[in-house]
Amino acid sequence: NYQQAIKDFNKAIELDPQLAMAYNNRGNAYVKLGNFHQAIEDFNKAIELDPQYAEPYYNRGRTYNKLGNYQQAIKDCNKAIELNPQFAPAYLNRGLAYYNLGNYQQTIENIKIAARLGDQGAQDYLRSKGIEW
């Protein structure tokens, strides 16, 4: 129930307007509802409040991928990875952006890193293609 989640995050933000996690999580709810621009605003606010918080960079990058802005998606994933080099989903999302740009070598390199970090989806994909990681 994403609408209710948004209401709950609104209340959390009302109680503590500096709570970056609430903006990040509300942004995820907006993504699920297809409201990508509102989601990006929330991810921007989370980043503004806590520039060292890797997850909103990843989430904003994931959203930019959905919008077809692959260069921005890569930039955001790069920042998420810089902040948390063990963040497997950021490598996977960056790989998807490279795929959409036609850079298949970078796609596989990123999926391999995600697989090595334990991402089951990345491992399954590489296994299905007969690619070692």
Side-chain angles (χ1 to χ4, degrees), residues 25-54:
N25 292 342
R26 186 175 71 180
N28 284 330
Y30 281 126
V31 167
K32 293 291 188 179
L33 293 172
N35 190 342
F36 301 132
H37 296 289
Q38 184 62 51
I40 288 171
E41 285 184 29
D42 275 356
F43 300 138
N44 289 343
K45 184 64 175 180
I47 290 165
E48 176 189 320
L49 291 169
D50 186 354
Q52 300 305 304
Y53 184 18

Short mmCIF file of all heavy atoms in Angstrom, two decimals, residues 25-54:
data_model
loop_
_atom_site.label_atom_id
_atom_site.label_comp_id
_atom_site.label_asym_id
_atom_site.label_seq_id
_atom_site.Cartn_x
_atom_site.Cartn_y
_atom_site.Cartn_z
N ASN A 25 12.89 6.77 1.44
CA ASN A 25 11.87 5.73 1.40
C ASN A 25 10.57 6.21 0.76
O ASN A 25 9.91 5.45 0.05
CB ASN A 25 11.62 5.18 2.81
CG ASN A 25 12.82 4.41 3.32
OD1 ASN A 25 13.69 3.99 2.56
ND2 ASN A 25 12.88 4.22 4.62
N ARG A 26 10.22 7.47 1.00
CA ARG A 26 9.04 8.01 0.34
C ARG A 26 9.28 8.07 -1.17
O ARG A 26 8.39 7.75 -1.97
CB ARG A 26 8.70 9.40 0.89
CG ARG A 26 7.37 9.94 0.33
CD ARG A 26 6.97 11.23 0.96
NE ARG A 26 7.83 12.33 0.53
CZ ARG A 26 7.70 13.59 0.93
NH1 ARG A 26 6.73 13.92 1.79
NH2 ARG A 26 8.52 14.53 0.50
N GLY A 27 10.51 8.42 -1.55
CA GLY A 27 10.86 8.40 -2.98
C GLY A 27 10.67 7.02 -3.59
O GLY A 27 10.16 6.89 -4.71
N ASN A 28 11.05 5.98 -2.86
CA ASN A 28 10.84 4.61 -3.36
C ASN A 28 9.36 4.31 -3.55
O ASN A 28 8.98 3.64 -4.52
CB ASN A 28 11.47 3.59 -2.41
CG ASN A 28 12.97 3.54 -2.56
OD1 ASN A 28 13.51 3.78 -3.63
ND2 ASN A 28 13.65 3.22 -1.48
N ALA A 29 8.53 4.80 -2.65
CA ALA A 29 7.09 4.59 -2.79
C ALA A 29 6.57 5.32 -4.03
O ALA A 29 5.75 4.78 -4.78
CB ALA A 29 6.35 5.07 -1.53
N TYR A 30 7.06 6.54 -4.25
CA TYR A 30 6.65 7.27 -5.46
C TYR A 30 7.07 6.52 -6.72
O TYR A 30 6.33 6.49 -7.71
CB TYR A 30 7.23 8.69 -5.46
CG TYR A 30 6.48 9.67 -4.59
CD1 TYR A 30 7.13 10.41 -3.62
CD2 TYR A 30 5.11 9.87 -4.76
CE1 TYR A 30 6.46 11.32 -2.83
CE2 TYR A 30 4.42 10.79 -3.98
CZ TYR A 30 5.09 11.51 -3.02
OH TYR A 30 4.41 12.42 -2.24
N VAL A 31 8.26 5.92 -6.72
CA VAL A 31 8.70 5.13 -7.87
C VAL A 31 7.71 4.00 -8.14
O VAL A 31 7.31 3.77 -9.28
CB VAL A 31 10.13 4.57 -7.66
CG1 VAL A 31 10.46 3.51 -8.70
CG2 VAL A 31 11.17 5.68 -7.70
N LYS A 32 7.31 3.30 -7.09
CA LYS A 32 6.37 2.19 -7.25
C LYS A 32 5.04 2.65 -7.85
O LYS A 32 4.38 1.88 -8.55
CB LYS A 32 6.11 1.50 -5.91
CG LYS A 32 7.32 0.80 -5.36
CD LYS A 32 7.69 -0.40 -6.19
CE LYS A 32 8.77 -1.22 -5.52
NZ LYS A 32 9.12 -2.39 -6.29
N LEU A 33 4.68 3.90 -7.59
CA LEU A 33 3.44 4.46 -8.13
C LEU A 33 3.64 5.10 -9.51
O LEU A 33 2.70 5.62 -10.10
CB LEU A 33 2.86 5.49 -7.16
CG LEU A 33 2.36 4.93 -5.83
CD1 LEU A 33 1.99 6.06 -4.88
CD2 LEU A 33 1.17 4.00 -6.05
N GLY A 34 4.89 5.08 -10.01
CA GLY A 34 5.18 5.66 -11.31
C GLY A 34 5.35 7.16 -11.31
O GLY A 34 5.41 7.78 -12.37
N ASN A 35 5.44 7.76 -10.12
CA ASN A 35 5.62 9.21 -10.01
C ASN A 35 7.12 9.49 -9.89
O ASN A 35 7.63 9.81 -8.82
CB ASN A 35 4.85 9.73 -8.79
CG ASN A 35 4.79 11.23 -8.76
OD1 ASN A 35 5.57 11.91 -9.42
ND2 ASN A 35 3.87 11.77 -7.96
N PHE A 36 7.82 9.34 -11.02
CA PHE A 36 9.28 9.39 -11.03
C PHE A 36 9.84 10.77 -10.69
O PHE A 36 10.85 10.87 -10.01
CB PHE A 36 9.81 8.92 -12.38
CG PHE A 36 9.40 7.53 -12.73
CD1 PHE A 36 8.87 7.25 -13.97
CD2 PHE A 36 9.52 6.49 -11.81
CE1 PHE A 36 8.48 5.95 -14.31
CE2 PHE A 36 9.13 5.19 -12.13
CZ PHE A 36 8.61 4.93 -13.38
N HIS A 37 9.17 11.82 -11.14
CA HIS A 37 9.69 13.16 -10.88
C HIS A 37 9.59 13.51 -9.40
O HIS A 37 10.51 14.12 -8.83
CB HIS A 37 9.01 14.17 -11.79
CG HIS A 37 9.32 13.92 -13.24
ND1 HIS A 37 10.56 14.14 -13.78
CD2 HIS A 37 8.55 13.40 -14.23
CE1 HIS A 37 10.55 13.79 -15.05
NE2 HIS A 37 9.34 13.34 -15.35
N GLN A 38 8.50 13.14 -8.76
CA GLN A 38 8.37 13.36 -7.32
C GLN A 38 9.40 12.53 -6.57
O GLN A 38 9.98 12.98 -5.58
CB GLN A 38 6.96 13.03 -6.83
CG GLN A 38 6.75 13.34 -5.35
CD GLN A 38 6.92 14.81 -5.03
OE1 GLN A 38 6.33 15.65 -5.67
NE2 GLN A 38 7.75 15.12 -4.05
N ALA A 39 9.63 11.32 -7.04
CA ALA A 39 10.64 10.45 -6.42
C ALA A 39 12.01 11.10 -6.48
O ALA A 39 12.73 11.15 -5.47
CB ALA A 39 10.67 9.09 -7.11
N ILE A 40 12.37 11.64 -7.64
CA ILE A 40 13.68 12.29 -7.79
C ILE A 40 13.79 13.48 -6.83
O ILE A 40 14.84 13.69 -6.22
CB ILE A 40 13.93 12.69 -9.25
CG1 ILE A 40 14.21 11.41 -10.07
CG2 ILE A 40 15.08 13.67 -9.38
CD1 ILE A 40 14.26 11.61 -11.56
N GLU A 41 12.72 14.24 -6.67
CA GLU A 41 12.75 15.35 -5.71
C GLU A 41 13.05 14.84 -4.30
O GLU A 41 13.83 15.45 -3.56
CB GLU A 41 11.42 16.11 -5.72
CG GLU A 41 11.24 16.99 -6.93
CD GLU A 41 9.95 17.79 -6.87
OE1 GLU A 41 9.47 18.11 -5.76
OE2 GLU A 41 9.42 18.11 -7.96
N ASP A 42 12.43 13.73 -3.92
CA ASP A 42 12.69 13.17 -2.59
C ASP A 42 14.11 12.64 -2.47
O ASP A 42 14.76 12.84 -1.44
CB ASP A 42 11.68 12.07 -2.26
CG ASP A 42 10.39 12.62 -1.67
OD1 ASP A 42 10.28 13.85 -1.46
OD2 ASP A 42 9.49 11.81 -1.42
N PHE A 43 14.62 11.99 -3.50
CA PHE A 43 16.00 11.51 -3.44
C PHE A 43 16.96 12.70 -3.35
O PHE A 43 17.94 12.66 -2.61
CB PHE A 43 16.33 10.62 -4.64
CG PHE A 43 15.47 9.39 -4.74
CD1 PHE A 43 14.98 8.97 -5.96
CD2 PHE A 43 15.15 8.64 -3.61
CE1 PHE A 43 14.19 7.83 -6.06
CE2 PHE A 43 14.35 7.50 -3.69
CZ PHE A 43 13.88 7.10 -4.93
N ASN A 44 16.66 13.77 -4.10
CA ASN A 44 17.49 14.98 -4.01
C ASN A 44 17.50 15.53 -2.59
O ASN A 44 18.56 15.93 -2.09
CB ASN A 44 16.96 16.06 -4.97
CG ASN A 44 17.21 15.74 -6.42
OD1 ASN A 44 18.03 14.89 -6.77
ND2 ASN A 44 16.49 16.42 -7.29
N LYS A 45 16.35 15.56 -1.95
CA LYS A 45 16.26 16.08 -0.57
C LYS A 45 17.05 15.18 0.38
O LYS A 45 17.76 15.68 1.26
CB LYS A 45 14.80 16.19 -0.14
CG LYS A 45 14.61 16.80 1.23
CD LYS A 45 15.09 18.24 1.28
CE LYS A 45 14.78 18.88 2.62
NZ LYS A 45 15.23 20.27 2.70
N ALA A 46 16.94 13.87 0.22
CA ALA A 46 17.70 12.96 1.08
C ALA A 46 19.19 13.19 0.91
O ALA A 46 19.94 13.22 1.90
CB ALA A 46 17.34 11.51 0.75
N ILE A 47 19.64 13.40 -0.32
CA ILE A 47 21.06 13.65 -0.60
C ILE A 47 21.48 14.99 0.00
O ILE A 47 22.55 15.11 0.58
CB ILE A 47 21.32 13.59 -2.11
CG1 ILE A 47 21.19 12.14 -2.60
CG2 ILE A 47 22.68 14.18 -2.46
CD1 ILE A 47 21.08 11.98 -4.11
N GLU A 48 20.63 15.99 -0.13
CA GLU A 48 20.92 17.30 0.46
C GLU A 48 21.11 17.19 1.97
O GLU A 48 22.03 17.78 2.53
CB GLU A 48 19.77 18.27 0.15
CG GLU A 48 19.89 19.63 0.78
CD GLU A 48 18.61 20.44 0.61
OE1 GLU A 48 18.01 20.39 -0.48
OE2 GLU A 48 18.21 21.12 1.57
N LEU A 49 20.24 16.41 2.61
CA LEU A 49 20.31 16.26 4.07
C LEU A 49 21.49 15.41 4.52
O LEU A 49 22.05 15.64 5.60
CB LEU A 49 19.01 15.65 4.60
CG LEU A 49 17.78 16.55 4.50
CD1 LEU A 49 16.52 15.76 4.81
CD2 LEU A 49 17.92 17.75 5.45
N ASP A 50 21.85 14.40 3.72
CA ASP A 50 22.94 13.50 4.10
C ASP A 50 23.71 13.09 2.84
O ASP A 50 23.46 12.03 2.25
CB ASP A 50 22.40 12.26 4.82
CG ASP A 50 23.50 11.37 5.35
OD1 ASP A 50 24.69 11.64 5.08
OD2 ASP A 50 23.17 10.37 6.02
N PRO A 51 24.68 13.91 2.41
CA PRO A 51 25.41 13.63 1.18
C PRO A 51 26.26 12.36 1.22
O PRO A 51 26.74 11.91 0.19
CB PRO A 51 26.31 14.86 1.00
CG PRO A 51 25.83 15.88 1.95
CD PRO A 51 25.03 15.19 3.01
N GLN A 52 26.44 11.78 2.40
CA GLN A 52 27.22 10.54 2.52
C GLN A 52 26.35 9.29 2.52
O GLN A 52 26.85 8.17 2.69
CB GLN A 52 28.06 10.59 3.81
CG GLN A 52 29.03 11.75 3.86
CD GLN A 52 29.95 11.79 2.65
OE1 GLN A 52 30.64 10.82 2.36
NE2 GLN A 52 29.97 12.90 1.93
N TYR A 53 25.05 9.43 2.31
CA TYR A 53 24.08 8.35 2.32
C TYR A 53 23.99 7.79 0.89
O TYR A 53 23.44 8.43 0.00
CB TYR A 53 22.75 8.92 2.80
CG TYR A 53 21.58 8.02 3.00
CD1 TYR A 53 21.69 6.64 3.12
CD2 TYR A 53 20.31 8.58 3.09
CE1 TYR A 53 20.57 5.85 3.31
CE2 TYR A 53 19.19 7.79 3.29
CZ TYR A 53 19.32 6.43 3.39
OH TYR A 53 18.21 5.65 3.58
N ALA A 54 24.53 6.60 0.67
CA ALA A 54 24.65 6.03 -0.67
C ALA A 54 23.31 5.67 -1.31
O ALA A 54 23.13 5.81 -2.52
CB ALA A 54 25.55 4.80 -0.63
#
